[in-house]
Amino acid sequence: MTDDRRAELAANLERVENRISAACAKAGRPRDEVTLIVVTKTYPASDVRLLAELGVRQVAENRDQDAAPKAAECADLPLTWHFVGQLQTNKVRSVAGYAGIVQSVDRSRLVTALSKEAVRAERELGCLIQVALDAESGDAARVTGERGGVAPQGVPALADAIAEAQGLRLDGVMTVAPLAGPYAGRQLAAFERLMEISTDLRATHPAATMVSAGMSADLEEAVAAGATHVRVGTAVLGVRPRLG
Ligand SMILES: *Cc1c(COP(=O)(O)O)cnc(C)c1O
């Protein structure tokens, strides 16, 4: 069983690697500008272990209830854990214990909570600002919809808050291609808009170079737009057994 699963994951990883390489070549970008993060949500710790054996170093989860025990089981592996889901402040203490990077920072209350728990855990937490591109025309920075994210005009204030917070490091921006609004169904345009937001951010925070965009279905568009990190679940692990 394990051998079968290992072979399946190896083949899937190779296919994804070929897709990323081809997208980089097409965009005239060096392959090493793009880092693959494998989204292991809903899959067991045994899969995370196999992925680590196959050379994966970055993994992502979106629910603390699932991620915390998995990270504990895999604590001996050389992995960086990314948290990519909507994060409630009552889960922050747990997440701060294992996450290297929280990609879903979208409100100042969360910055305060993350800072407090990072200091308590004596860890430095990388933070990406999750940008909601379906909120482009909103009149104020706000959390929108179920998927979270701050409207583009809310990014500068949130960036300053993270940069000033103890225990936190501002690493960049993240988005999920929007299902509604002007960018619905227009992944390339959405990711190009995220790149603009990243360029503006780097004018005041030059170290915030990470741009996390693109999933199994749209990683090519993300690489074309300039993403530095793609988050791939299904194309590596298979179609998820339940919603995650
Ligand atoms: C699940 C998830 C992914 C991966 O999606 P796939 O379509 O399975 O590749 C990427 N980013 C976030 C935020 C996710 O929740």
Side-chain angles (χ1 to χ4, degrees), residues 19 37-43 60-63 83-86 103-104 130 147 174-176 212-219 230-240 244:
R19 285 176 62 189
I37 302 168
V38 178
V39 183
T40 51
K41 65 187 181 195
T42 77
Y43 285 94
E61 289 281 332
N62 73 335
R63 287 157 55 104
F83 193 87
V84 299
Q86 273 203 281
Q103 298 207 1
S104 46
Q130 182 177 349
R147 304 201 297 173
M174 175 271 220
T175 203
V176 178
S212 172
M215 316 199 297
S216 294
D218 53 21
L219 72 87
V230 292
R231 310 178 306 268
V232 179
T234 311
V236 172
L237 288 140
V239 176
R240 281 180 287 279

Coordinates of all heavy atoms in Angstrom, one line a residue, residues 19 37-43 60-63 83-86 103-104 130 147 174-176 212-219 230-240 244, ligand 1:
R19 N 4.8 20.8 -15.1 CA 3.9 22.0 -15.4 C 4.6 23.3 -14.9 O 4.5 24.3 -15.6 CB 2.6 21.8 -14.6 CG 1.7 20.8 -15.3 CD 0.4 20.6 -14.5 NE -0.4 21.8 -14.4 CZ -1.5 21.9 -13.6 NH1 -1.8 20.9 -12.8 NH2 -2.1 23.1 -13.5
I37 N 4.4 24.6 -2.9 CA 3.9 24.3 -1.6 C 2.8 23.2 -1.8 O 1.8 23.4 -2.5 CB 3.3 25.5 -0.9 CG1 4.3 26.6 -0.7 CG2 2.7 25.1 0.5 CD1 3.7 28.0 -0.3
V38 N 2.9 22.1 -1.1 CA 1.9 21.0 -1.3 C 0.9 21.1 -0.2 O 1.2 21.1 1.0 CB 2.6 19.6 -1.3 CG1 1.5 18.5 -1.5 CG2 3.6 19.5 -2.4
V39 N -0.4 21.3 -0.6 CA -1.5 21.5 0.3 C -2.0 20.1 0.7 O -2.6 19.4 -0.1 CB -2.6 22.3 -0.3 CG1 -3.7 22.5 0.7 CG2 -2.1 23.7 -0.8
T40 N -1.7 19.7 1.9 CA -2.0 18.3 2.4 C -3.3 18.2 3.2 O -3.6 17.1 3.7 CB -0.8 17.8 3.3 OG1 -0.5 18.8 4.3 CG2 0.4 17.6 2.4
K41 N -4.1 19.2 3.2 CA -5.4 19.2 3.9 C -6.2 18.0 3.5 O -6.3 17.6 2.3 CB -6.2 20.5 3.7 CG -6.6 20.6 2.3 CD -7.2 22.0 2.0 CE -7.7 22.2 0.6 NZ -8.0 23.6 0.3
T42 N -6.8 17.4 4.5 CA -7.7 16.2 4.4 C -6.9 14.9 4.2 O -7.4 13.8 4.3 CB -8.8 16.2 3.3 OG1 -8.2 16.0 2.0 CG2 -9.6 17.5 3.4
Y43 N -5.6 14.9 3.9 CA -4.8 13.8 3.7 C -4.0 13.5 5.0 O -3.6 14.4 5.7 CB -3.9 13.9 2.5 CG -4.7 13.7 1.2 CD1 -5.2 14.8 0.6 CD2 -5.0 12.5 0.8 CE1 -6.0 14.7 -0.6 CE2 -5.8 12.3 -0.4 CZ -6.3 13.4 -1.0 OH -7.0 13.2 -2.1
A60 N 1.1 22.8 3.3 CA 0.1 23.8 3.8 C -1.1 23.0 4.2 O -1.5 22.0 3.7 CB -0.2 24.7 2.7
E61 N -1.8 23.6 5.2 CA -3.0 23.1 5.8 C -4.0 24.3 6.0 O -3.5 25.5 6.1 CB -2.7 22.5 7.2 CG -1.9 21.2 7.1 CD -2.8 20.0 6.8 OE1 -4.0 20.0 7.1 OE2 -2.3 19.0 6.1
N62 N -5.3 24.0 6.1 CA -6.2 25.1 6.2 C -7.1 25.1 7.4 O -7.9 25.9 7.7 CB -7.1 25.3 5.0 CG -8.1 24.2 4.8 OD1 -7.9 23.1 5.4 ND2 -9.2 24.5 4.1
R63 N -7.0 24.0 8.2 CA -7.8 23.9 9.4 C -6.9 23.4 10.6 O -6.3 22.4 10.5 CB -8.9 22.8 9.3 CG -10.0 23.3 8.4 CD -10.8 22.1 7.8 NE -11.2 21.2 8.8 CZ -12.5 21.2 9.2 NH1 -13.4 21.9 8.7 NH2 -12.8 20.3 10.2
F83 N 0.1 28.0 7.0 CA -1.4 27.9 7.3 C -2.1 28.8 6.3 O -1.8 30.0 6.1 CB -1.6 28.4 8.8 CG -3.0 28.2 9.2 CD1 -3.4 26.9 9.8 CD2 -4.0 29.1 9.0 CE1 -4.7 26.6 10.1 CE2 -5.4 28.8 9.3 CZ -5.7 27.6 9.9
V84 N -3.0 28.2 5.6 CA -3.7 28.9 4.4 C -5.2 29.1 4.6 O -5.8 29.6 3.7 CB -3.4 28.2 3.1 CG1 -1.9 28.2 2.8 CG2 -4.0 26.8 3.0
G85 N -5.7 28.8 5.8 CA -7.2 28.9 5.9 C -7.6 30.1 6.7 O -6.7 30.8 7.3
Q86 N -8.9 30.3 6.8 CA -9.3 31.4 7.6 C -9.0 31.1 9.0 O -9.2 29.9 9.5 CB -10.8 31.6 7.4 CG -11.1 32.5 6.3 CD -12.5 33.1 6.4 OE1 -13.5 32.5 6.2 NE2 -12.5 34.4 6.9
Q103 N -0.4 32.4 5.9 CA -0.7 33.1 4.6 C -2.0 33.8 4.6 O -2.4 34.4 3.6 CB -0.7 32.0 3.5 CG 0.6 31.3 3.3 CD 0.8 30.8 1.8 OE1 -0.1 31.0 1.0 NE2 1.9 30.2 1.6
S104 N -2.8 33.7 5.7 CA -4.2 34.2 5.6 C -4.4 35.4 6.6 O -5.4 35.5 7.2 CB -5.1 33.1 5.9 OG -4.6 32.3 7.1
Q130 N -3.5 38.2 3.1 CA -4.4 37.6 2.1 C -5.3 38.7 1.5 O -6.0 39.4 2.3 CB -5.3 36.5 2.7 CG -6.2 35.8 1.7 CD -7.1 34.7 2.2 OE1 -6.8 34.2 3.3 NE2 -8.0 34.3 1.4
R147 N -14.1 33.1 2.4 CA -12.7 32.7 2.1 C -11.7 33.7 2.7 O -10.6 33.5 2.7 CB -12.5 32.6 0.6 CG -13.5 31.6 0.0 CD -13.1 31.0 -1.3 NE -13.0 32.0 -2.3 CZ -12.5 31.7 -3.5 NH1 -12.0 30.5 -3.7 NH2 -12.4 32.6 -4.4
M174 N -0.8 37.0 -0.6 CA -1.4 35.8 -1.1 C -2.8 36.1 -1.6 O -3.5 37.0 -1.1 CB -1.5 34.8 0.1 CG -2.2 33.5 -0.1 SD -4.0 33.5 0.2 CE -4.2 31.9 0.9
T175 N -3.3 35.3 -2.6 CA -4.7 35.4 -2.9 C -5.2 34.1 -3.4 O -4.4 33.2 -3.7 CB -4.9 36.5 -4.0 OG1 -6.3 36.9 -3.9 CG2 -4.7 36.0 -5.4
V176 N -6.5 33.9 -3.4 CA -7.2 32.8 -4.0 C -8.0 33.4 -5.2 O -8.6 34.5 -5.0 CB -8.1 32.1 -3.0 CG1 -8.9 31.0 -3.7 CG2 -7.3 31.6 -1.8
S212 N 2.1 34.5 -3.2 CA 1.5 33.2 -3.2 C 0.2 33.2 -3.9 O -0.8 33.8 -3.5 CB 1.3 32.7 -1.7 OG 0.6 31.5 -1.7
A213 N 0.2 32.5 -5.1 CA -1.0 32.5 -5.9 C -1.0 31.2 -6.8 O 0.1 30.7 -7.0 CB -1.1 33.7 -6.8
G214 N -2.1 30.7 -7.2 CA -2.2 29.6 -8.0 C -2.4 28.3 -7.3 O -1.7 28.1 -6.3
M215 N -3.3 27.5 -7.8 CA -3.6 26.2 -7.2 C -3.5 25.1 -8.3 O -2.9 25.4 -9.4 CB -4.9 26.2 -6.5 CG -5.2 27.5 -5.7 SD -6.5 27.4 -4.5 CE -7.9 27.2 -5.5
S216 N -4.0 23.9 -8.1 CA -3.9 22.9 -9.2 C -4.4 23.3 -10.5 O -3.8 23.0 -11.5 CB -4.7 21.6 -8.7 OG -4.1 21.1 -7.6
A217 N -5.5 24.1 -10.5 CA -6.2 24.4 -11.8 C -5.6 25.6 -12.5 O -5.8 25.8 -13.7 CB -7.7 24.6 -11.5
D218 N -4.9 26.5 -11.7 CA -4.4 27.7 -12.3 C -3.0 28.1 -12.0 O -2.6 29.3 -12.0 CB -5.4 28.9 -11.9 CG -5.6 29.0 -10.4 OD1 -4.8 28.5 -9.7 OD2 -6.6 29.5 -10.0
L219 N -2.2 27.1 -11.7 CA -0.8 27.4 -11.4 C 0.0 28.1 -12.6 O 0.9 28.9 -12.4 CB 0.0 26.2 -10.8 CG 0.4 25.1 -11.7 CD1 1.7 25.3 -12.4 CD2 0.4 23.8 -10.9
V230 N 3.4 28.6 -5.4 CA 2.1 28.0 -5.8 C 1.7 27.0 -4.8 O 2.5 26.4 -4.2 CB 2.2 27.4 -7.3 CG1 2.4 28.5 -8.3 CG2 3.3 26.3 -7.4
R231 N 0.4 26.9 -4.6 CA -0.2 26.0 -3.5 C -1.0 24.9 -4.2 O -2.1 25.2 -4.7 CB -1.1 26.8 -2.6 CG -0.4 28.1 -2.0 CD -1.4 28.8 -1.1 NE -2.7 29.1 -1.8 CZ -3.0 30.2 -2.5 NH1 -2.1 31.2 -2.6 NH2 -4.2 30.3 -3.1
V232 N -0.4 23.7 -4.2 CA -1.0 22.7 -5.0 C -1.5 21.5 -4.1 O -0.6 20.9 -3.5 CB -0.1 22.2 -6.1 CG1 -0.7 21.1 -7.0 CG2 0.3 23.4 -7.0
G233 N -2.7 21.2 -4.2 CA -3.3 20.1 -3.4 C -3.6 18.9 -4.3 O -2.9 17.9 -4.5
T234 N -4.8 19.0 -4.9 CA -5.4 17.9 -5.7 C -4.4 17.3 -6.8 O -4.4 16.1 -6.9 CB -6.6 18.5 -6.5 OG1 -7.4 19.2 -5.6 CG2 -7.4 17.4 -7.2
A235 N -3.7 18.1 -7.4 CA -2.8 17.6 -8.5 C -1.7 16.7 -8.0 O -1.1 15.9 -8.7 CB -2.2 18.8 -9.4
V236 N -1.4 16.9 -6.7 CA -0.3 16.0 -6.1 C -1.0 14.8 -5.3 O -0.5 13.7 -5.5 CB 0.6 16.8 -5.1 CG1 1.5 15.9 -4.3 CG2 1.4 17.9 -5.9
L237 N -2.0 15.1 -4.5 CA -2.5 14.1 -3.6 C -3.8 13.4 -4.1 O -4.1 12.3 -3.6 CB -2.8 14.8 -2.3 CG -1.6 15.1 -1.5 CD1 -1.7 16.5 -0.8 CD2 -1.2 14.0 -0.5
G238 N -4.4 14.0 -5.1 CA -5.7 13.4 -5.6 C -6.9 14.2 -5.2 O -6.7 15.2 -4.4
V239 N -8.0 13.9 -5.8 CA -9.2 14.6 -5.4 C -9.6 14.4 -3.9 O -9.6 13.2 -3.5 CB -10.4 14.2 -6.3 CG1 -11.7 14.9 -5.9 CG2 -10.1 14.6 -7.8
R240 N -9.8 15.4 -3.2 CA -10.0 15.3 -1.8 C -11.3 14.5 -1.4 O -12.3 14.7 -2.1 CB -10.1 16.7 -1.1 CG -8.7 17.3 -0.9 CD -8.8 18.6 -0.2 NE -9.4 19.7 -1.1 CZ -8.7 20.3 -2.0 NH1 -7.4 20.1 -2.2 NH2 -9.2 21.2 -2.8
G244 N -12.6 20.6 1.9 CA -11.6 21.1 2.9 C -11.2 22.4 2.4 O -10.2 22.7 2.0
Ligands
LIG1 C1 -7.1 23.7 -0.9 C2 -6.3 25.0 -1.1 C3 -5.4 25.0 -2.1 C4 -5.1 23.8 -3.1 O1 -6.2 23.7 -3.9 P1 -6.1 22.5 -5.1 O2 -7.1 23.0 -6.0 O3 -6.4 21.2 -4.4 O4 -4.7 22.5 -5.7 C5 -4.7 26.2 -2.3 N1 -4.9 27.3 -1.5 C6 -5.8 27.3 -0.5 C7 -6.0 28.5 0.3 C8 -6.5 26.1 -0.3 O5 -7.5 26.1 0.7

